[in-house]
Amino acid sequence: GQNIDQPTEMTATEGAIVQINCTYQTSGFNGLFWYQQHAGEAPTFLSYNVLDGLEEKGRFSSFLSRSKGYSYLLLKELQMKDSASYLCAVALFSGGYNKLIFGAGTRLAVHP
Amino acid sequence: GAGVSQSPRYKVAKRGQDVALRCDPISGHVSLFWYQQALGQGPEFLTYFQNEAQLDKSGLPSDRFFAERPEGSVSTLKIQRTQQEDSAVYLCASSLGPGPTDYGYTFGSGTRLTVV
């Protein structure tokens, strides 16, 4: 089976840094995605890692270690609008296409 | 269109009623996915279309769920004889090719189905 684990909830202070971890055990791996989802809205793409290492994109960075089945999303200079759910998803390639398998999501609350 | 459009945005159905949920993917996108998202959970894969061909329906929870994409663009997810456990947000996503590009899939805002 496929298993993707991430913390259920996190809280942080405006202006601070927060790291959201994701561990996965999947049959196959073709990249790891992070999505942001505000309540009642569509998931929106944040980052994509297919090789080991750190990808930086503005205030957001994502890290991947394929040997450890581990990724994290780092959010810097937190803003109130960053309060949302963050979804970790693994792409599995099978049957000629890629399918995203999601974790349960981490609800982040940013407070003043 | 500029994004993935889903309708209706909200649907309340009486238990036992049939419902149809519509997805308009981004024009030209080959791949189309349906996901089910229960409250407080991540999206769960339901089914995948490549153009008009339904290549994977392994995630459909029962034979009450049926999806089609007859002309390779608009897709409809139909749920027959709805049950309370069908209450969830149904998300549609599309992608230009047969897999997520570096930008992943583009999701619609979903249809929130409530079965009463």
Side-chain angles (χ1 to χ4, degrees):
Chain A
Q2 321 295 353
N3 197 39
I4 300 173
D5 288 320
Q6 49 182 132
T8 303
E9 294 183 346
M10 299 183 72
T11 60
T13 304
E14 192 175 17
I17 299 173
V18 70
Q19 177 174 313
I20 302 174
N21 296 323
C22 172
T23 58
Y24 62 91
Q25 289 178 303
T26 57
S27 54
F29 177 86
N30 203 28
L32 188 141
F33 290 81
W34 285 95
Y35 280 82
Q36 180 191 59
Q37 187 178 28
H38 286 99
E41 297 184 10
T44 55
F45 170 83
L46 288 179
S47 70
Y48 169 63
N49 295 71
V50 66
L51 300 176
D52 290 353
L54 187 68
E55 293 281 342
E56 297 186 83
K57 192 180 296 184
R59 294 190 299 117
F60 292 10
S61 302
S62 57
F63 172 83
L64 175 66
S65 169
R66 289 172 296 171
S67 63
K68 296 182 179 178
Y70 169 68
S71 174
Y72 68 72
L73 179 69
L74 193 70
L75 293 76
K76 304 175 187 175
E77 301 168 13
L78 280 171
Q79 303 175 8
M80 298 298 290
K81 67 178 182 180
D82 296 330
S83 293
S85 284
Y86 291 85
L87 301 166
C88 173
V90 171
L92 304 179
F93 185 81
S94 176
Y97 77 99
N98 284 276
K99 176 166 64 179
L100 288 187
I101 305 299
F102 286 85
T106 298
R107 287 191 299 279
L108 174 66
V110 180
H111 55 83
Chain B
V4 178
S5 177
Q6 292 188 246
S7 60
R9 189 76 173 87
Y10 302 93
K11 176 69 178 178
V12 178
K14 292 184 178 179
R15 191 171 53 185
Q17 186 178 357
D18 296 350
V19 298
L21 313 180
R22 178 187 169 103
C23 172
D24 276 278
I26 294 174
S27 179
H29 274 198
V30 166
S31 292
L32 186 146
F33 297 80
W34 283 99
Y35 283 82
Q36 180 190 59
Q37 187 173 27
L39 189 63
Q41 298 297 312
E44 297 273 350
F45 171 81
L46 293 177
T47 188
Y48 166 68
F49 288 88
Q50 193 170 107
N51 296 305
E52 69 279 4
Q54 189 175 20
L55 298 187
D56 188 342
K57 52 183 180 179
S58 62
L60 296 177
S62 77
D63 58 8
R64 296 186 296 104
F65 287 70
F66 172 76
E68 60 184 5
R69 193 187 185 197
E71 296 179 356
S73 55
V74 171
S75 178
T76 303
L77 176 67
K78 298 179 180 178
I79 308 173
Q80 298 177 324
R81 306 181 302 280
T82 52
Q83 304 294 316
Q84 283 192 315
E85 61 262 28
D86 300 335
S87 295
V89 174
Y90 290 85
L91 295 167
C92 176
S94 71
S95 177
L96 184 61
T101 66
D102 285 2
Y103 299 98
Y105 301 140
T106 302
F107 281 85
S109 296
T111 294
R112 181 177 295 278
L113 173 66
T114 303
V115 181
V116 299

